Amino acid sequence: MKLITAVIKPFKLDDVKDALKAIDVTGITVSEVRGFGRQGGHTETYRGAEYKIDFVPKVSLATVVDEARVDEVVEAIAKAAATGKIGDGKIFVLDVDRATHRLAKKAPTPSSFSLFAGLLDADASFETHPSLRPNRPR
Amino acid sequence: MKLVTAVIKPFKLDDVKDALKEAGSSGITVSEVRGFGRQGGHTETYRGAEYKIDFVPKVQVKIVVEDAAVDAVVDAITKSASTGKIGDGKIWVTDIDRIVRIRTGEEGADAV
Amino acid sequence: MLLALDSGNTAWVLISAALVLFMTPGLAFFYGGMVRSKNVLGMLMQNMFAIGLVSTIWAVVGFSLVFGDSGNGWIGNFDFLFLADVTNLDGDIPGMAFVAFQMMFAVITPALITGATADRLKFGSYAVLIGFWSLLVYIPGAKWVFNGWLLEMGALDFAGGTAIHISAGVAALAVVLVIGNRKGHGDVPMPPHNLPFTVLGTGILWFGWFGFNAGSGLAADGLAAQALVNTHLAASTGMLGWLLVERWKGGNATVLGACSGAVAGLVAVTPCAGFVGGASPLIIGFSAGALCFLALQIKERMNWDDSLDVIAVHLIGGIVGTLLLGLFADAAVNPAIAEDSSEGLFFGGSFELLKDQFVAALVVGVFSFVVTYALAKTIDATMGLRVGEDAEYQGLDQSQHAESAYTG
């Protein structure tokens, strides 16, 4: 089992999602992140004083797949996310020691783990991870 | 190739960024996260009813580095993110099997 | 023999009171947008709280100390304690309408200071600060300018350039000197967290300012219309002046610049609103927009963390308006100028009015600085003016109010 994480340009998210759907990867976890790299940032002004915003908005997506499918998925993401310009992003592949699936009774398929990829990443157990519980009155 | 992940106090992000720039790192990815740990949360009040917010806002920083540079990067983060108080955060290092630069398709060290 | 009430004037003054009240929440959003997200509730709260506290002080003793007929030009008396007997005030509007209108001015004045001390002022200390500030600084200043010796001397102030903007602007500086700079000031950028709030606040301030200035004649007449148009034109050219200098200095025309310039124009036209006409409001607003932008340099040079530029916008804007009135006051617009004072230098007068304006600005400014500094020092020594380091990092919302502005 491998965790594939990609950091991409935000407006490419839909293309990437469609490309992954097309190869039957049905689950991804997406978060808004900021990146600092070769693309550089931009300058903003606050009442005459300029300051540099180094961080550029990016989207990070994570999915857990079977080892056999890693190449296919990486390629699909790379192709869909590329614009040919600096700042297109990166894809990392990491080992997943263990994946547990508690919400569905049926045997897990690799892509259904991907919903929890962010949690796996932080090495937390699903059952006790506090973010799954409501923590304040409504 | 290693992935260095650090969870730090949000206001330390600029210091950490500068320290990483100095250490020669060419890129980092940052996300706003919430953490639950020894630092504890705080109490909020809503029309007289108190409730506990266990999660403390944190910033998560990710950097991909070559094996040889791991110690320098971890060192740079440790120094720049530290305030000496509870809740300064953690750093962990994981293996990366493979890395691709999306624009060019380059892999491995070329892609860092 | 009491004058007969005029229903038109009464209606306009009551509506103006409501308009001026609305300026304080407007100011809250104007400032609230500019602070960091962890401090936005703290900023909104400081402004809203001023409505509650200062209105109470005003009803108990404030109005009486400004408008009680003590026979001297320095301080009123206790005739109108708890608003007793205000119905006996002579005029063609009810005394209570005048009380309401003046109350809203007393409320917004200390609230102006909050922009300078953003992100670090302890809430309890803030409450004590503005309570005593109202009693010790605003009330005497308002008495001198609206109903006392500065007015008799011949200084003109239609709606509060000196007693409100110069007084609050100088007080802001005094408190900043005592409380010190924000942690990380000058090292880390502290950009506004929600500029749309600031635009919203600017719109509310602009709208409310029509009551502030055009209501100050206490009548629904031609002078009110003139004051309203003057107010609007100065805000408009204030915006243009700020943006042009901003561009000329090599920057972009920013949204915050447009808002700041409009407010600078509004501040400067405040003392002038019912005394000038023709092209004068255009010139006054434009000068204020341009000069207030340049005045941003003051805090940089002096390393004062006047966080949201109360000095550049209110103090400098107030001074620009107060002094320009010495040039542009026109008896053709307001005959009272010829009767009670002297005309502006460019409108048939001498240096007399300019001198009086200068004296009024200086007296109010120095008085406000000395008393505010002493007050802030006293509070700092007893209960502490500033939140602790951890609370400052955590933000005022959580540390002072146990609330968060933005939760999921």
Side-chain angles (χ1 to χ4, degrees), chain C residues 96-190:
Chain C
M96 209 49 99
F98 183 60
V99 168
F101 185 65
Q102 286 293 337
M103 174 155 37
M104 305 315 170
F105 283 67
V107 165
I108 195 168
T109 309
L112 293 171
I113 302 170
T114 60
T117 54
D119 303 0
R120 58 202 189 280
L121 187 54
K122 205 192 279 184
F123 181 69
S125 309
Y126 165 76
V128 173
L129 177 72
I130 63 160
F132 279 99
W133 194 86
S134 292
L135 289 168
L136 301 177
V137 181
Y138 180 75
I139 285 171
K143 165 71 183 170
W144 304 346
V145 171
F146 295 136
N147 192 32
W149 71 275
L150 285 172
L151 180 72
E152 282 153 25
M153 179 185 78
L156 294 176
D157 188 350
F158 194 72
T162 45
I164 293 170
H165 295 288
I166 292 179
S167 184
V170 167
L173 168 61
V175 183
V176 164
L177 291 179
V178 176
I179 200 171
N181 296 355
R182 285 170 294 179
K183 285 269 170 280
H185 171 71
D187 297 332
V188 284
M190 300 180 184

Side-chain angles (χ1 to χ4, degrees), chain B residues 13-61:
Chain B
L13 176 60
D14 275 309
D15 291 347
V16 170
K17 180 198 72 190
D18 292 342
L20 287 172
K21 259 187 186 174
E22 232 164 80
S25 168
S26 66
I28 62 182
T29 305
V30 172
S31 48
E32 327 261 324
V33 298
R34 291 178 298 151
F36 166 74
R38 263 182 268 189
Q39 186 183 349
H42 65 279
T43 305
E44 294 201 359
T45 313
Y46 173 67
R47 289 193 175 149
E50 289 204 339
Y51 56 97
K52 184 110 170 65
I53 304 286
D54 280 326
F55 289 100
V56 181
K58 295 278 169 193
V59 158
Q60 190 183 64
V61 179

Side-chain angles (χ1 to χ4, degrees), chain C residues 374-407:
Chain C
L375 179 59
K377 271 283 184 200
T378 309
I379 295 173
D380 197 37
T382 48
M383 53 194 299
L385 210 48
R386 185 173 183 139
V387 298
E389 202 174 318
D390 286 346
E392 193 175 336
Y393 284 134
Q394 193 183 23
L396 297 183
D397 297 5
Q398 284 174 16
S399 70
Q400 304 300 295
H401 307 295
E403 289 169 301
S404 299
Y406 309 103
T407 51

Side-chain angles (χ1 to χ4, degrees), chain A residues 54-75:
Chain A
D54 278 325
F55 289 105
V56 181
K58 294 278 168 194
V59 158
S60 164
L61 55 96
T63 185
V64 176
V65 297
D66 246 352
E67 210 151 341
R69 299 200 62 194
V70 166
D71 288 353
E72 185 191 2
V73 172
V74 168
E75 226 151 86

Side-chain angles (χ1 to χ4, degrees), chain A residues 76-117:
Chain A
I77 297 174
K79 219 168 134 197
T83 67
K85 293 197 188 118
I86 280 188
D88 272 353
K90 286 194 182 39
I91 306 171
F92 327 120
V93 181
L94 289 85
D95 237 354
V96 176
D97 284 349
R98 185 175 158 193
T100 324
H101 192 82
R102 287 185 193 271
L103 293 187
K105 291 278 183 269
K106 65 181 173 85
T109 57
S111 60
S112 57
F113 289 119
S114 53
L115 263 177
F116 305 102

Side-chain angles (χ1 to χ4, degrees), chain C residues 272-313:
Chain C
C272 312
F275 297 126
V276 301
S280 302
L282 299 170
I283 299 167
I284 291 165
F286 190 88
S287 313
L291 291 170
C292 290
F293 178 83
L294 296 172
L296 294 172
Q297 287 303 314
I298 299 173
K299 70 167 186 179
E300 301 296 336
R301 297 265 163 86
M302 306 302 295
N303 190 31
W304 294 332
D305 185 11
D306 171 15
S307 312
L308 312 181
D309 300 304
V310 182
I311 295 169
V313 175

